[in-house]
Amino acid sequence: MAIYRLDVEKKYGQLQFRLYPQGDAAGAFGAPAPDIKALIAALDAALEPLDTKNKVDSVIFRNIEYGSKRDLRETVRFSKF
C-alpha cells in the first residue's frame, strides 16, 4: 500500500501542485495552472497511475487521507487557496 501526499498552492494568481510518496522529500511544484479547471485536469492525469479502486493507494491532502480519486478531486475543487 502506497501513501502519497498532495500539496497545492496559489502563487502569483496561478495554482500549482506536487504529488509525492509520503516519507520522501517533497519535490518541486509542477507547472502552474491558470484556473481550478486546469489544475483538476492536471491532477487527474497525475492520479491516473494510482490504484485506489482496490484500496492499494491513497493520497493525503491537508492532513486527511483519501482513498477515492473522486473524493480527493472534489475536495481540491472546493478548497480555498
Side-chain angles (χ1 to χ4, degrees):
M1 179 171 179
I3 300 174
Y4 295 85
R5 292 196 65 86
L6 173 66
D7 298 328
V8 180
E9 76 171 9
K10 187 172 189 177
K11 189 173 186 180
Y12 305 117
Q14 295 187 328
L15 297 162
Q16 53 190 3
F17 75 92
R18 62 182 170 200
L19 181 68
Y20 56 95
Q22 182 177 356
D24 288 359
F29 282 92
D35 58 14
I36 193 70
K37 193 173 187 178
L39 178 78
I40 295 298
L43 180 61
D44 283 342
L47 293 174
E48 186 65 33
L50 302 184
D51 183 10
T52 56
K53 288 184 181 178
N54 297 318
K55 308 263 187 222
V56 175
D57 298 324
S58 61
V59 179
I60 296 174
F61 174 64
R62 293 187 173 174
N63 296 321
I64 299 172
E65 186 174 7
Y66 295 89
S68 166
K69 292 177 190 176
R70 192 184 104 241
D71 292 343
L72 175 63
R73 183 184 324 113
E74 293 304 308
T75 300
V76 171
R77 182 190 334 232
F78 293 113
S79 294
K80 292 191 178 205
F81 300 104

